[in-house]
Amino acid sequence: MIELKPKQEQLIIALMSTPTNEEAFVKAGIDRTTAYKYLKDPDFSSEYRRIRRETMQTITSQLQQASSTAVETLIDVMTDTELSTPSARVQASKAVLDNAYRGIENDDLQERIEKLEAKLDNL
C-alpha cells in the first residue's frame, strides 16, 4: 500500500463514488490540472487500481453469494406454469441454458490455459 496525500485519498474516494472524473474532481475539491497530474502519477494510479480491484472483488463475492438465490428464482419462474407467463418461462429457461453453456466454456478455457502454462513452464 502506498502512502497518499490527504487530497489524493479524497480524490480516490470521490472517483469511486461519482459517475464522472469531473464530478469527482469537484467533490474532492481538487482542480482539474492537479487531478490529472495525480492520475498520471504511477504510484497514485497503482493505488487507485488496487482499491478498484479490491472493490470489485468484494462485489464479485456478493454476486457469488446471491447466485444461488438467482438460480432458484430462475428455476421458480421457469417451472411456474400458473403464475409465470410463457414468455417469462422461456426467458428464464434461456438464461439457465446460456449460463450453463458459459460455465462449460469457461471450464474448457481454464483447462486449455493451464495446459499452455504447464508447457511454458517446461520450456
Side-chain angles (χ1 to χ4, degrees), residues 7-32:
K7 282 289 187 183
Q8 290 175 317
E9 289 178 3
Q10 290 172 357
L11 179 57
I12 287 179
I13 291 167
L15 287 166
M16 297 295 294
S17 62
T18 58
T20 68
N21 283 354
E22 298 300 325
E23 289 178 61
F25 304 160
V26 171
K27 185 174 182 176
I30 298 173
D31 68 87
R32 191 173 198 269

Side-chain angles (χ1 to χ4, degrees), residues 25-121:
F25 304 160
V26 171
K27 185 174 182 176
I30 298 173
D31 68 87
R32 191 173 198 269
T33 304
T34 302
Y36 277 110
K37 185 180 94 177
Y38 288 159
L39 287 168
K40 289 180 182 178
D41 177 81
D43 289 338
F44 178 87
S45 294
S46 174
E47 184 66 5
Y48 179 39
R49 274 193 308 278
R50 184 191 67 76
I51 290 169
R52 286 176 40 199
R53 192 171 24 261
E54 282 181 7
T55 301
M56 287 309 299
Q57 287 172 339
T58 300
I59 291 168
T60 300
S61 177
Q62 291 171 337
L63 288 170
Q64 289 171 334
Q65 291 170 12
S67 63
S68 293
T69 303
V71 170
E72 290 171 14
T73 301
L74 284 172
I75 292 170
D76 289 345
V77 170
M78 186 176 71
T79 59
D80 188 345
T81 57
E82 292 181 26
L83 298 177
S84 296
T85 64
S87 174
R89 289 195 310 274
V90 168
Q91 287 176 338
S93 298
K94 184 178 181 332
V96 168
L97 290 172
D98 286 348
N99 286 301
Y101 286 127
R102 195 171 309 125
I104 290 170
E105 288 172 350
N106 286 340
D107 287 345
D108 290 346
L109 285 172
Q110 181 64 37
E111 182 180 353
R112 291 175 63 192
I113 290 169
E114 288 171 0
K115 286 180 180 177
L116 288 170
E117 287 175 339
K119 285 182 180 180
L120 287 172
D121 287 343

